[in-house]
Amino acid sequence: MLTPLGLSPSFGFGDRLGLATPGHIAAVRGTKFAPVFAQQSVRENARTGRSPQQVIDDAKRAVEMAKWEAPWGADADHLKTIEDITAFVEAGYTFYTVDPGEYVDNAADSDPINVLNQKVAGFNLDEFSALYLNKDGDQKWGRFEADSLMRATVKYGRAIQHAVMMFNRLSQMKDSFDFEVSVDETDSPTTPLEHFFIANELNRLGVHFTSLAPRFIGHFEKGVDYIGDLNALDVELAKHAAVTSHFGSYKLSLHSGSDKFSVYPLLAKHWGDRIHVKTAGTSYLEALRVLAQYEPDLFLKIYNLGRECYESDRRTYHVSAKLEMLPKEDNLPSLLNNFHAREVLHVTFGSALAQFGAEIKSSLINHTDAYHSDLERHFRKHLSLLNK
Ligand SMILES: [Zn+2]
């Protein structure tokens, strides 16, 4: 049943090719996670040439074939403008992720006071001061001083207004839906205190949100494990979790969740069931693993194209792979375990699909069983680590 998932623990399986859902179903069956089988951002749709309707139809077909009867969701991911919403509403999406990242002022962390004073002029700082300053007791996530409140207001104030506007518009179009606010793709991390500010403002302004995706410290790059100090992240996550449980009304959402194996036990420790995790690129990389094994010539064409397109395709992603570090092509399937190869192949998927899309799909259809069992194995690993 395609439906909002509310506060159930949930997992997003983005599928850029429209062929992965049977493997996702096999992996999630019998676990506690409510699956999101259709999940695509506006950016991904632009690169894959698929429409919101096609994405949801591909998932629906697989759900019916596999006789999946339990609830599942469809996530309209990284919506940035009002115009982005309509096609997803018409196609029946149940989960709406609004990304007001363009309105986040990353410079607010370090702006000198005179610049900050100018920027804050559009906000009612007196109201914010009454709400947030001189509060009793020290909370785990810290407390606002005049300076930090001004910075938080400048950094996230307009983004919050944009999220409120998107929520109000959606509420006019739909009765019930999951609503997520994500600021995960901004340059500067969200502190626990800023997380509190965002959640409190959204609540105060009447936004019913089911999940929130802060930008955490360290690097969550695409298709590879966490880059950063895990102990520092653990300490930081404990403070974020204190904010989430203070409100008790929404889940913590982790974007770029593909292959973050070292972080999953921390999410489970701090949030238990109150989590949503999004993956997308890793299903595409598993498809390439199958091609590397069974269709090496096609795989090498994709790999060489990736090399050519990486520098331009990487611009809208957070990745650090270096072309000069790419491994030789002598041991093909295991090349898919290499950090640099994974990132290069991941961010060049749009170019690969534009040039070899039909070949890639027909090859995967020829090796359906291998693809699906590969996905099952790969996502069982994800889900079991989240279940610790
Ligand atoms: Zn994201």
Side-chain angles (χ1 to χ4, degrees):
M1 191 196 4
L2 183 56
T3 177
L5 304 174
L7 295 184
S8 312
S10 48
F11 194 93
F13 296 94
D15 173 15
R16 291 168 178 166
L17 300 167
L19 298 169
T21 305
H24 297 155
I25 291 176
V28 79
R29 217 186 264 288
T31 72
K32 68 180 181 183
F33 291 95
V36 172
F37 291 132
Q39 171 206 290
Q40 209 132 54
S41 64
V42 177
R43 174 176 63 192
E44 284 171 310
N45 277 328
R47 292 190 179 193
T48 57
R50 295 164 84 209
S51 67
Q53 188 70 54
Q54 280 170 296
V55 171
I56 205 169
D57 285 348
D58 286 336
K60 269 185 189 163
R61 207 170 305 120
V63 162
E64 279 161 27
M65 289 270 288
K67 300 197 170 19
W68 175 270
E69 314 263 314
W72 64 283
D75 180 359
D77 201 9
H78 283 281
L79 300 171
K80 301 201 173 195
T81 66
I82 292 280
E83 294 72 47
D84 288 341
I85 298 175
T86 318
F88 290 97
V89 170
E90 282 170 358
Y93 281 66
T94 56
F95 186 133
Y96 292 80
T97 301
V98 164
D99 172 3
E102 284 164 23
Y103 298 91
V104 174
D105 188 338
N106 292 294
D109 286 351
S110 54
D111 277 335
I113 194 74
N114 58 323
V115 175
L116 218 51
N117 272 324
Q118 282 168 14
K119 286 183 174 178
V120 88
F123 296 94
N124 187 343
L125 201 57
D126 289 344
E127 188 187 16
F128 284 143
S129 300
L131 282 165
Y132 293 103
L133 293 183
N134 306 315
K135 295 292 156 197
D136 289 342
D138 257 344
Q139 302 291 357
K140 230 179 162 179
W141 53 86
R143 58 186 294 164
F144 276 115
E145 306 295 340
D147 181 79
S148 54
L149 179 60
M150 216 153 100
R151 289 185 194 280
T153 304
V154 170
K155 186 171 171 186
Y156 288 111
R158 289 181 60 224
I160 291 163
Q161 288 171 356
H162 185 71
V164 172
M165 196 262 300
M166 296 283 275
F167 176 79
N168 289 341
R169 184 74 190 95
L170 255 167
S171 303
Q172 292 165 350
M173 300 168 88
K174 273 189 88 70
D175 286 338
S176 71
F177 51 88
D178 293 318
F179 188 75
E180 174 167 316
V181 177
S182 75
V183 288
D184 66 295
E185 294 197 352
T186 59
D187 291 336
S188 136
T190 314
T191 66
L193 187 59
E194 288 163 348
H195 174 174
F196 170 76
F197 177 73
I198 296 168
N200 199 58
E201 283 302 293
L202 290 172
N203 266 329
R204 201 170 68 81
L205 298 166
V207 175
H208 302 288
F209 58 105
T210 346
S211 46
L212 192 138
R215 154 82 157 87
F216 294 118
I217 56 169
H219 300 280
F220 289 78
E221 297 190 358
K222 300 288 180 183
V224 295
D225 207 339
Y226 179 68
I227 303 169
D229 179 343
L230 271 177
N231 290 323
L233 181 67
D234 190 18
V235 171
E236 189 83 347
L237 292 183
K239 297 177 193 165
H240 282 286
V243 176
T244 327
S245 64
H246 168 79
F247 292 101
S249 54
Y250 64 93
K251 295 183 279 195
L252 190 282
S253 174
L254 181 74
H255 286 217
S256 303
S258 293
D259 307 278
K260 299 300 177 294
F261 299 120
S262 64
V263 175
Y264 287 168
L266 299 180
L267 291 189
K269 175 172 103 176
H270 293 297
W271 279 278
D273 283 354
R274 285 289 172 90
I275 46 174
H276 179 64
V277 172
K278 299 198 192 200
T279 67
T282 203
S283 291
Y284 174 70
L285 289 175
E286 289 311 305
L288 296 187
R289 190 189 296 278
V290 171
L291 297 185
Q293 188 164 4
Y294 296 101
E295 307 281 349
D297 292 345
L298 174 58
F299 175 80
L300 288 175
K301 286 196 278 184
I302 298 166
Y303 192 48
N304 288 327
L305 182 72
R307 228 186 232 123
E308 285 165 32
C309 301
Y310 177 62
E311 291 304 339
S312 57
D313 288 355
R314 68 179 290 188
R315 283 186 198 131
T316 55
Y317 287 102
H318 296 284
V319 283
S320 57
K322 297 203 164 37
L323 287 176
E324 60 272 23
M325 302 286 281
L326 282 178
K328 289 256 181 312
E329 298 108 30
D330 39 16
N331 195 349
L332 269 195
S334 71
L335 186 143
L336 263 300
N337 300 333
N338 177 273
F339 173 88
H340 300 276
R342 289 183 72 80
E343 290 204 337
V344 167
L345 289 166
H346 183 294
V347 301
T348 56
F349 75 91
S351 300
L353 291 180
Q355 201 152 336
F356 306 117
E359 266 181 276
I360 292 173
K361 284 182 193 173
S362 67
S363 301
L364 284 175
I365 290 167
N366 288 338
H367 302 287
T368 297
D369 290 348
Y371 184 35
H372 293 160
S373 61
D374 207 37
L375 286 169
E376 181 178 359
R377 174 193 52 75
H378 192 56
F379 280 104
R380 287 249 163 220
K381 183 176 174 192
H382 282 72
L383 296 171
S384 69
L385 284 166
L386 279 168
N387 205 8
K388 282 274 154 14

